[in-house]
Amino acid sequence: MAQPGMSRGTFAAFRLKPGDDLLDRLHAARRDIGADALTLVTCVGSLTRATLRYADRDDAVLHEGRFEIVSLVGTVDPEGHHLHLCIADGAGRVIGGHLVSGATIYTTAEIVVVALDDLSFSRARCGLSGYRELSVEPKGIKSAEAATPPPSPEGDA
């Protein structure tokens, strides 16, 4: 097992408004904060659309309607993100998966993030999974594997 990266953290809280794009605003927040390693602490709110890729599937599914955000977890880095979203419809049915672009805020999203001040996140090809996976390094140091071309902002897994 890899040595865990230890870091102090700086918390930030913000609210997204109707019509905002969830992923665009998370990446903007990371840039505004100046973080090389950002993780979600909590997110509650609602969406009118979300595109999710389910486990072990290559294709993504667009969901349109009115949904509560039940959970949003993951990491955001300068090269992309790896985020999982669970949403609930008006009947309480819950669906979740890997969040891809096109999530639009319905009424609000109240978000708290933590910037890991001493760390940098990047993506490096993993020989075991075959995907570009999270690489955690002390801030200012990039792993040799991370020098490969960046993935799409959607992440891999």
Side-chain angles (χ1 to χ4, degrees):
M1 181 169 103
Q3 185 73 4
M6 300 295 291
S7 179
R8 293 167 294 138
T10 302
F11 289 84
F14 53 97
R15 174 183 173 239
L16 303 186
K17 296 180 180 162
D20 283 346
D21 182 282
L22 178 59
L23 285 177
D24 287 350
R25 298 291 288 131
L26 283 172
H27 283 281
R30 186 208 54 79
R31 286 188 303 274
D32 291 348
I33 294 166
D36 290 334
L38 190 76
T39 187
L40 276 281
V41 175
T42 190
C43 175
V44 295
S46 58
L47 299 171
T48 57
R49 70 183 277 148
T51 305
L52 300 173
R53 190 177 73 234
Y54 305 134
D56 204 30
R57 302 285 294 275
D58 292 329
D59 57 328
V61 176
L62 172 64
H63 298 274
E64 294 184 293
R66 293 182 177 170
F67 305 99
E68 291 291 333
I69 298 170
V70 176
S71 175
L72 178 63
V73 297
T75 57
V76 181
D77 60 77
E79 299 174 2
H81 59 267
H82 187 178
L83 297 166
H84 288 187
L85 172 73
C86 285
I87 54 175
D89 67 14
R93 291 180 296 255
V94 176
I95 192 156
H98 181 87
L99 179 61
V100 297
S101 61
T104 306
I105 303 302
Y106 173 43
T107 61
T108 192
E110 301 164 6
I111 299 173
V112 178
V113 296
V114 63
L116 301 170
D117 300 329
D118 306 312
L119 298 177
S120 290
F121 289 166
S122 60
R123 303 282 157 185
R125 180 90 32 215
C126 173
L128 298 174
S129 74
Y131 293 106
R132 291 177 56 82
E133 303 287 8
L134 182 68
S135 178
V136 179
E137 301 290 340
K139 192 165 190 152
I141 298 174
K142 292 274 189 172
S143 70
E145 296 98 10
T148 57
S152 72
E154 306 308 334
D156 280 321

